[in-house]
Amino acid sequence: MIKFAFGELKMARNRFRIAVTILSVFAAAPLRSNANGQTAVPITQRRYVKPPDADLKKKLTPLQYAVTQDADTESPFHNEYWDNHRDGIYVDVVSGEPLFSSLDKFDSGTGWPSFTKSLDPANIVTKSDRSLFMTRTEVRSKHANSHLGHLFDDGPAPTGNRYCMNSASMRFIPVDRLEAEGYGQYLSLFKKAPSKTSKTSR
């Protein structure tokens, strides 16, 4: 009887150690809660993945595929967002990674959506582009490696930058859809800043 009780006590201690180990693993990864109080994946752990090429050809329009995958360029003044004046953010049409905000959008007169800075620099990469017999700075998304457009140094203050992007590379998410589509962390930007909805602001 004593040996049996001792064995039970030893098994209980082992189960307790296992439980403590599991709890410590979960405690090491802080989680956040959404507006409904449900546990969500931390922003820093969110993954933006490029789908297989076969899926992209089904998901994207021919123009979106040509621009994002083959570095093509859409026509100026005849694209979806060059004259868009709504408040919201622009994400990669391939992966959904956040790229630009309407708060940094301006009228460059070029016929393409232009921004003074990126929304999240961690989602943007630049590289030298020597095509068309000139040297330019190409802009691509970090995770999906989508061609977005080019970066120039003739933009307005305060950055002096002009991110000249292709509408076909992006998807626009208006402010009232940010929370529903998983981008609620950017709502505070629009609460702090004045709305830029007039055409003179672009």
Side-chain angles (χ1 to χ4, degrees), residues 81 84 86-93 96-106 113-121 123-126 138-142 146-151 159 161-167 169-174 178 183 186 189-190 202:
Y81 303 130
N84 181 33
R86 301 174 65 190
D87 288 331
I89 68 171
Y90 297 80
V91 303
D92 188 332
V93 71
E97 53 198 288
L99 301 173
F100 300 97
S101 166
S102 63
L103 298 173
D104 306 307
K105 191 171 184 287
F106 70 99
S114 300
F115 306 85
T116 58
K117 64 179 182 179
S118 61
L119 176 59
D120 188 343
N123 295 331
I124 295 289
V125 295
T126 58
E138 182 188 9
V139 181
R140 286 184 168 267
S141 61
K142 172 67 175 180
S146 300
H147 171 76
L148 304 176
H150 290 87
L151 173 62
T159 66
N161 291 327
R162 173 169 61 92
Y163 285 86
C164 188
M165 303 292 99
N166 287 278
S167 293
S169 297
M170 306 182 295
R171 183 170 71 90
F172 176 71
I173 304 176
L178 291 179
Y183 299 93
Y186 296 110
L189 298 177
F190 297 93
R202 299 289 196 272

Side-chain angles (χ1 to χ4, degrees), residues 24-83:
S24 65
V25 170
F26 281 100
L31 301 177
R32 64 182 182 89
S33 296
N34 58 22
N36 298 321
Q38 299 173 328
T39 301
V41 177
I43 297 300
T44 55
Q45 296 181 17
R46 186 169 182 173
R47 297 176 63 85
Y48 299 102
V49 181
K50 178 180 180 179
D53 189 67
D55 292 342
L56 285 180
K57 289 181 178 178
K58 296 177 182 179
K59 171 185 177 182
L60 305 179
T61 66
L63 177 60
Q64 289 173 331
Y65 186 91
V67 171
T68 59
Q69 305 307 302
D70 299 328
D72 204 347
T73 301
E74 65 192 4
S75 299
F77 301 104
H78 295 283
N79 55 79
E80 190 171 3
Y81 303 130
W82 79 272
D83 198 33

Side-chain angles (χ1 to χ4, degrees), residues 126-143:
T126 58
K127 58 182 293 187
S128 180
D129 177 7
R130 292 184 171 82
S131 63
L132 302 180
F133 307 102
M134 65 181 78
T135 300
R136 296 176 294 172
T137 300
E138 182 188 9
V139 181
R140 286 184 168 267
S141 61
K142 172 67 175 180
H143 305 283

